[in-house]
C-alpha cells in the first residue's frame, strides 16, 4: 500500500507527518516538528529574512531524509499565511526546490481551513455533528462551521499568534496602549466572522494548533486551582482532558497579557517557546468564545497535515469514505460557483452527462488519467460563468473566473487545468505559448488538449436545448470512431452537423477519423 508524507510550512513552525495506507485507513509512521518562525520577519518587513529561510531549509532537509528512509510514494508540501504575504516567497520556493526537489504549494486561507476540517472530521470523535472548528496558527486563524461532516461556512482572518505578537506586542509585559490596540484589531477582524457565521448553535467546539493545546493545559490547572508557579506542568490532574471552558480562557488571556515572558513560561502547558507568542492567540480565543456565546473548546492534535494526508488517501482509495467526502465537497464547490454566476444548472447538466459518457466510451482513445473525468464535468458545468461578465468572449472570462475563484476541494493547479479546458470551447485552440497554457505543468498540456476535444464533442451533442438531449452510441476502431445519434424527441441533424465540424480537430489530436450517423 502507498506511503504519503505531508509537510506544512507554517508561519511559526514546520511539521512533517508520514503515514501509510492500511485497510483504507492511515497509519502514522513518523512525525517531526521544528519551530522556525518564518512569519516573524514577514509580518514586520513584508519579506522572509535570510535567517528564517536558512532555518526552515535546515528543517526541510531533515524531513527529506525521513521521507527517504520511509520510502514515501507521494510528498505534498504546502505553505500558509507567511508565504501568502511574503514578497520574496518565490525565491524561497526556488531554494526549497533546489535543496529537496519539492514543489511548495502556497494555499489560500480557505483551502487551509478546508484541509484542516477534512483532517478533523475524518479522525476526530464527535466531529460529524454540528461543530465549530478554530485553528489559530502563526499567521492566520480559520473558523469553520461544520454540519454532518460538511463545511457550511468558513472565514480566514489575519489573527495568527506570531502576526499579532509582531504587530502589537513589542513591549514585555504589554502596555495598556498595546492591549487596547490589540483588542480593537481583533474585534474589527471578528466582525467579519460575525457577518458570515453569526452565533452558530453547535454541539462541539474543536480547537487545533499549539496555542489551543497550551490554553487547554493551563485551563486544566485553573480548574483544580493549582498555583502555576509551584507545580511542574505534569503534576496537576486534568478534570476534563484537553478541554478549556470559556471563563477560564478569558481569565488566562487577561493574566497572560499582564505577565512578563518569564512568568508566562512558568504557566503549565505554555513553556519558553510558546510564551513568546501566546498573548495575542489567547486573546483571540477568549474573544471568539465570548462573542459567539460558546461554553469552551476541546483541543485536538489534528491539523493541516492530517487533512493533506486524508486528501491523498481519498485520491487513491476510490472506494473509501474519505474519497466520497472529498468528491461531494468538490461538487458542492462547483455548484456554488454556478449559482454565484447565474449558470442554468438544468441546461448545463446534459453537457456534463454527455462528457461523462464520452470519457468512458472513448477511454482507449484519449488515455486520460481518471481524475480528468471530474475536471471535465466541472468544466462542463462552469464553462458559461464568463457570461456573467460579458457574452462576447465569455470563454476567456470563464477561464479567469474559474482559475481565480475559491472552489472547495480544487487546488490552484487543478483549477488551472479546469479553467484551461473551459477556455478553448470557442474558436480558439490550445497553444503552448498562450498565457493560459504556460501556467500549467508541461506534462498537462497534451492532456488538456485531449480533454478540450471531449468537451467540445459533448457541447456539440447539445445544440438544440429546446428538445430532449440526443442519445449517442460510440464505436471505437483502430483508425476511426463512429458516433451513432439516436434522437429522443425531434431530429438530431443540428447535433450531427456540429459534431462533423469537430471531425478535423478530432483527427488532428487523436489521429483517428470521426464519423457521425443519425439513426
Amino acid at each position: 500500500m502507498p506511503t504519503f508524507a505531508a509537510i506544512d510550512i507554517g508561519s511559526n513552525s514546520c511539521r512533517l507527518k508520514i503515514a501509510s495506507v492500511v485497510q483504507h485507513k492511515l497509519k502514522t509512521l513518523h512525525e517531526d516538528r521544528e519551530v522556525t518562525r518564518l512569519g516573524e520577519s514577514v509580518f514586520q518587513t513584508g519579506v522572509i529574512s535570510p535567517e528564517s529561510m536558512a532555518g526552515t531549509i535546515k528543517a526541510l532537509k531533515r524531513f527529506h531524509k525521513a521521507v527517504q528512509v520511509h520510502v514515501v510514494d507521494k510528498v505534498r508540501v504546502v505553505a500558509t499565511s507567511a508565504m501568502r504575504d511574503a514578497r520574496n516567497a518565490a525565491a524561497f520556493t526556488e531554494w526549497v526546490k533546489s535543496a529537496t526537489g519539492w514543489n511548495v504549494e502556497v494555499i489560500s486561507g480557505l483551502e487551509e481551513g478546508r484541509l484542516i476540517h477534512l483532517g478533523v472530521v475524518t479522525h476526530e470523535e464527535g466531529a460529524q455533528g454540528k461543530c465549530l472548528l478554530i485553528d489559530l496558527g502563526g499567521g492566520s486563524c480559520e473558523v469553520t462551521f461544520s454540519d454532518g461532516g460538511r463545511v457550511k461556512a468558513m472565514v480566514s482572518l489575519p489573527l495568527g499568534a506570531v502576526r499579532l505578537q509582531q504587530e502589537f506586542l513589542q513591549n514585555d509585559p504589554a502596555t495598556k496602549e498595546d492591549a487596547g490596540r490589540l483588542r480593537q484589531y481583533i474585534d474589527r477582524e471578528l466582525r467579519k466572522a460575525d457577518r458570515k457565521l453569526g452565533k452558530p448553535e453547535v454541539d462541539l467546539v474543536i480547537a487545533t494548533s499549539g496555542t489551543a493545546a497550551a490554553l487547554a493545559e493551563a485551563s486544566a490547572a485553573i480548574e483544580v486551582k493549582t498555583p502555576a508557579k509551584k507545580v511542574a506542568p505534569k503534576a496537576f490532574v486534568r478534570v476534563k482532558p484537553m478541554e478549556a471552558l470559556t471563563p477560564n480562557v478569558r481569565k488566562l488571556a487577561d493574566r497572560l497579557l499582564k505577565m512578563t515572558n518569564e512568568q508566562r513560561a512558568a504557566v503549565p502547558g505554555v513553556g519558553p517557546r510558546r510564551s513568546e507568542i501566546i498573548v495575542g492567540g489567547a486573546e483571540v480565543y477568549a474573544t471568539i468564545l465570548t462573542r459567539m456565546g460558546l461554553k469552551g473548546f476541546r483541543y485536538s492534535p489534528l491539523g493541516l497535515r492530517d487533512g493533506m494526508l486524508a486528501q491523498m488517501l481519498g485520491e487513491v482509495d476510490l472506494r473509501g469514505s474519505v474519497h466520497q467526502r472529498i468528491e461531494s465537497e468538490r461538487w458542492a464547490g462547483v455548484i456554488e460557483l454556478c449559482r454565484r454566476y447565474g449558470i442554468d444548472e438544468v441546461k448545463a447538466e446534459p453537457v456534463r452527462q454527455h462528457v461523462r459518457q464520452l470519457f468512458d466510451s472513448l477511454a482507449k482513445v484519449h488515455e486520460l488519467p481518471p481524475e480528468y473525468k471530474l475536471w471535465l464535468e466541472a468544466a462542463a458545468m462552469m464553462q458559461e460563468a464568463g457570461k456573467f461578465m460579458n457574452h462576447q468572449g465569455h470563454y476567456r472570462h470563464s477561464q479567469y473566473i474559474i482559475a481565480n475563484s475559491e472552489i472547495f476541494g480544487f487546488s490552484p493547479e487543478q483549477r488551472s487545468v479546469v479553467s484551461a479546458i473551459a477556455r478553448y470551447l470557442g474558436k480558439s485552440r490550445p497553444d503552448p505559448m498562450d498565457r493560459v497554457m504556460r501556467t500549467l505543468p508541461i506534462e498537462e498540456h497534451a492532456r488538456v488538449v485531449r480533454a478540450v476535444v471531449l468537451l467540445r464533442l459533448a457541447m456539440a451533442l447539445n445544440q438544440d436545448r429546446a428538445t430532449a438531449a440526443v442519445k449517442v452510441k460510440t464505436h471505437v476502431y483502430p483508425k476511426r470512431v463512429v458516433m451513432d445519434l439516436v434522437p429522443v424527441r425531434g431530429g438530431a441533424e443540428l447535433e450531427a452537423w456540429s459534431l462533423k465540424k469537430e471531425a478535423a480537430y478530432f483527427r488532428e489530436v487523436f489521429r483517428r477519423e470521426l464519423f457521425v450517423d443519425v439513426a
Side-chain angles (χ1 to χ4, degrees):
M1 299 301 290
T3 300
F4 302 128
I7 297 169
D8 165 19
I9 303 176
S11 304
N12 182 54
S13 61
C14 286
R15 298 172 184 266
L16 163 71
K17 193 166 189 176
I18 300 174
S20 62
V21 180
V22 179
Q23 294 181 342
H24 307 288
K25 293 184 179 180
L26 291 164
K27 179 183 178 182
T28 302
L29 302 177
H30 177 77
E31 290 189 78
D32 198 355
R33 176 178 180 268
E34 184 72 33
V35 176
T36 56
R37 299 281 165 82
L38 196 67
E40 272 189 344
S41 56
V42 175
F43 305 138
Q44 279 186 323
T45 65
V47 296
I48 307 169
S49 69
E51 295 78 15
S52 296
M53 283 192 189
T56 305
I57 292 294
K58 185 178 178 181
L60 292 175
K61 285 181 176 179
R62 188 173 77 239
F63 293 176
H64 188 263
K65 289 180 181 178
V67 166
Q68 291 178 316
V69 167
H70 288 87
V71 195
V72 171
D73 297 288
K74 182 177 181 181
V75 181
R76 186 179 181 190
V77 185
V78 305
T80 54
S81 183
M83 289 284 282
R84 290 195 289 267
D85 292 355
R87 295 196 301 273
N88 60 342
F92 178 66
T93 57
E94 285 301 317
W95 192 357
V96 174
K97 176 75 172 178
S98 64
T100 65
W102 294 333
N103 292 311
V104 178
E105 180 185 342
V106 181
I107 59 174
S108 68
L110 294 181
E111 176 65 6
E112 181 182 355
R114 184 194 72 83
L115 287 169
I116 293 167
H117 172 266
L118 178 62
V120 171
V121 299
T122 301
H123 303 289
E124 188 71 31
E125 183 181 350
Q128 294 296 323
K130 288 186 177 181
C131 72
L132 194 74
L133 273 61
I134 307 172
D135 178 81
L136 190 144
S140 63
C141 176
E142 282 70 43
V143 185
T144 306
F145 173 50
S146 175
D147 187 5
R150 295 184 62 178
V151 174
K152 296 298 182 183
M154 181 192 296
V155 290
S156 179
L157 307 167
L159 295 177
V162 177
R163 184 191 297 271
L164 295 177
Q165 184 69 32
Q166 291 300 311
E167 293 188 357
F168 298 100
L169 301 168
Q170 292 299 307
N171 297 300
D172 187 37
T175 65
K176 288 185 178 179
E177 291 76 14
D178 291 341
R181 283 192 293 269
L182 173 68
R183 285 169 171 161
Q184 187 178 14
Y185 178 75
I186 292 171
D187 184 70
R188 187 191 77 185
E189 291 300 322
L190 287 180
R191 281 200 290 270
K192 300 174 184 177
D194 290 342
R195 288 194 291 269
K196 198 158 188 180
L197 299 171
K199 290 188 176 182
E201 295 183 5
V202 295
D203 306 316
L204 177 66
V205 179
I206 297 176
T208 59
S209 79
T211 298
L215 291 174
E217 198 157 337
S219 180
I222 288 179
E223 265 312 291
V224 294
K225 297 180 172 57
T226 305
K229 295 181 181 178
K230 296 181 181 179
V231 181
K234 295 182 180 178
F236 61 84
V237 179
R238 296 189 180 101
V239 177
K240 292 183 177 180
M242 303 312 283
E243 292 189 359
L245 298 175
T246 299
N248 291 342
V249 176
R250 179 71 271 171
K251 192 183 300 182
L252 270 170
D254 292 339
R255 286 182 184 177
L256 292 168
L257 197 59
K258 297 173 184 177
M259 290 179 176
T260 64
N261 184 49
E262 186 178 354
Q263 291 170 329
R264 292 193 298 272
V267 175
V270 176
R273 295 305 302 267
R274 182 63 53 181
S275 64
E276 298 172 355
I277 61 171
I278 196 172
V279 175
E283 185 63 34
V284 173
Y285 270 110
T287 307
I288 289 175
L289 294 172
T290 303
R291 73 190 294 149
M292 289 191 176
L294 304 169
K295 294 180 180 179
F297 67 77
R298 183 175 84 195
Y299 167 71
S300 171
L302 299 166
L304 175 58
R305 61 205 176 282
D306 298 282
M308 294 160 61
L309 289 170
Q311 180 93 28
M312 287 188 275
L313 169 64
E315 288 172 352
V316 299
D317 185 8
L318 304 183
R319 294 181 298 169
S321 59
V322 177
H323 174 77
Q324 300 301 323
R325 182 179 295 118
I326 292 171
E327 292 299 287
S328 174
E329 200 171 58
R330 280 172 168 165
W331 200 248
V334 171
I335 297 303
E336 182 185 349
L337 185 139
C338 290
R339 291 171 181 169
R340 189 187 313 156
Y341 291 100
I343 295 172
D344 189 332
E345 296 169 46
V346 175
K347 291 183 177 180
E349 181 63 23
V351 181
R352 180 178 84 93
Q353 293 292 346
H354 272 130
V355 85
R356 277 175 60 90
Q357 181 185 352
L358 291 172
F359 187 91
D360 293 336
S361 61
L362 296 175
K364 293 181 180 179
V365 178
H366 61 68
E367 297 179 332
L368 289 169
E371 60 267 24
Y372 263 76
K373 189 173 186 177
L374 176 63
W375 306 162
L376 275 163
E377 290 185 68
M381 294 297 293
M382 299 187 292
Q383 43 95 8
E384 288 195 344
K387 289 183 178 179
F388 184 86
M389 299 173 67
N390 195 331
H391 277 254
Q392 186 174 2
H394 75 269
Y395 293 123
R396 183 173 69 252
H397 303 316
S398 295
Q399 184 277 325
Y400 179 85
I401 289 171
I402 296 168
N404 294 281
S405 294
E406 191 73 50
I407 309 173
F408 270 6
F410 289 83
S411 69
E413 184 178 303
Q414 291 166 348
R415 293 201 307 270
S416 295
V417 170
V418 175
S419 70
I421 296 171
R423 168 66 181 90
Y424 299 103
L425 301 177
K427 295 179 180 179
S428 58
R429 300 286 187 272
D431 187 308
M433 298 308 296
D434 286 352
R435 177 188 56 81
V436 174
M437 297 298 287
R438 290 201 308 270
T439 63
L440 300 175
I442 192 67
E443 63 269 17
E444 298 296 338
H445 283 207
R447 295 171 180 171
V448 166
V449 171
R450 284 176 268 160
V452 166
V453 175
L454 294 182
L455 187 49
R456 292 180 70 95
L457 294 178
M459 292 177 63
L461 284 165
N462 289 274
Q463 289 295 306
D464 188 0
R465 291 181 174 175
T467 63
V470 300
K471 291 183 179 180
V472 58
K473 294 180 181 178
T474 307
H475 309 280
V476 177
Y477 302 99
K479 294 184 179 181
R480 69 186 191 280
V481 171
V482 179
M483 300 181 72
D484 292 327
L485 305 188
V486 183
V488 177
R489 184 173 66 244
E493 287 75 16
L494 184 57
E495 284 78 9
W497 172 76
S498 299
L499 284 170
K500 289 173 183 176
K501 286 182 65 178
E502 300 295 333
Y505 193 39
F506 186 93
R507 180 174 60 253
E508 178 186 332
V509 173
F510 295 123
R511 299 293 187 267
R512 280 179 167 91
E513 297 291 340
L514 176 64
F515 296 99
V516 182
D517 292 326
V518 179

